[in-house]
Amino acid sequence: EREAKATATELLRGVAELVEKLDARHEAAKAALEPLSKSSKCLSCVKTISMTETLKVEGAGILCKIEVGEIVEEIKEAAKDQGSGLLRAQVRRSSGAEGYATVRGNQGTLYFEPSSAFASCQKEGEEALAKLSEAVSQASAGIKERRTQIQAALMGAAPETRAEFTRLQMKVGKTQQAHAVLRKKLSEAMKNHTKTIEVEKTRLQDLADK
């Protein structure tokens, strides 16, 4: 009986380690997908442009240069500077500096395009979900592999040991369901992102045409 209890405890410890890893992967996947729900609008610089103090170009002091490839947050929607005809937006750089920048010139020159950090977040989310999927498979396989041994050992094990094994089995099942929910969340975020980018492009074009 003592040997059976020791065996049950050892097998249970192995399963618990797998479930602990599963929990960590689950939390990492949730954290990786969280940024996808944020709706901040971002612009990607496609032509170097100055960031100024005011919406109006005439007499505005230059704060800095925004270089090609830099991503800025649009904190106030683009509007036309009636004096110059330029389409300008209030933006915030990653450094926290804020100012105004031309999004589109009066002859149609593009300085920014709608963008976001979505692509990198999507990649991180997919990688986290892949690791979670692997952890789910390992935990399920670990329980299946040990099931016969565990069932035999549990016959002589303490009630709390049997209860703990049942709890761990149920936890793996619940995490499998949670994985499916997170996968659906990523899919929906991808669809919403595509729609948002197209709407923003249309909005900027309409403003430029006015």
Side-chain angles (χ1 to χ4, degrees):
E1 183 179 348
R2 181 178 299 175
E3 184 178 345
K5 288 183 179 180
T7 301
T9 300
E10 185 61 30
L11 290 170
L12 187 62
R13 184 180 296 113
V15 173
E17 288 175 357
L18 289 172
V19 173
E20 183 178 351
K21 180 180 178 181
L22 180 60
D23 282 343
R25 295 299 191 195
H26 184 210
E27 291 303 316
K30 287 196 296 184
L33 293 179
E34 181 61 29
L36 300 182
S37 63
K38 296 181 179 179
S39 58
S40 60
K41 295 179 181 177
C42 295
L43 300 172
S44 175
C45 182
V46 295
K47 188 176 178 65
T48 301
I49 188 71
S50 296
M51 186 170 79
T52 64
E53 297 174 331
T54 61
L55 174 67
K56 188 177 180 181
V57 174
E58 186 178 355
I62 296 176
L63 298 173
C64 60
K65 291 281 188 181
I66 298 176
E67 303 293 341
V68 174
E70 183 175 348
I71 303 295
V72 297
E73 182 184 357
E74 183 184 13
I75 56 179
K76 189 173 183 180
E77 289 191 345
K80 259 192 179 180
D81 169 18
Q82 297 303 322
S84 64
L86 301 175
L87 186 63
R88 294 175 45 84
Q90 186 177 10
V91 300
R92 180 187 293 120
R93 302 182 71 189
S94 59
S95 64
E98 297 181 8
Y100 291 81
T102 299
V103 175
R104 188 189 295 263
N106 50 21
Q107 299 299 315
T109 302
L110 273 179
Y111 292 91
F112 291 91
E113 289 183 337
S115 181
S116 77
F118 187 91
S120 60
C121 289
Q122 179 186 343
K123 182 179 179 181
E124 291 177 8
E126 289 176 340
E127 290 175 350
L129 283 174
K131 290 179 180 179
L132 174 58
S133 179
E134 181 183 4
V136 168
S137 297
Q138 289 176 349
S140 298
I143 288 177
K144 183 177 181 181
E145 181 183 337
R146 295 170 173 81
R147 181 170 289 123
T148 302
Q149 295 173 289
I150 289 175
Q151 286 176 342
L154 287 178
M155 291 180 67
E160 57 268 24
T161 301
R162 293 196 295 271
E164 178 63 9
F165 177 65
T166 299
R167 187 187 72 80
L168 291 174
Q169 280 186 303
M170 292 176 64
K171 193 167 190 178
V172 172
K174 288 180 179 179
T175 305
Q176 283 179 308
Q177 295 175 356
H179 174 263
V181 171
L182 290 175
R183 174 61 64 183
K184 183 179 180 180
K185 180 179 179 180
L186 175 60
S187 178
E188 290 175 348
M190 290 168 65
K191 291 178 183 177
N192 291 337
H193 170 69
T194 300
K195 183 179 179 180
T196 298
I197 290 296
E198 290 306 314
V199 169
E200 184 66 5
K201 284 182 178 179
T202 300
R203 185 183 70 82
L204 292 177
Q205 183 63 56
D206 288 346
L207 279 171
D209 292 341
K210 288 181 180 179

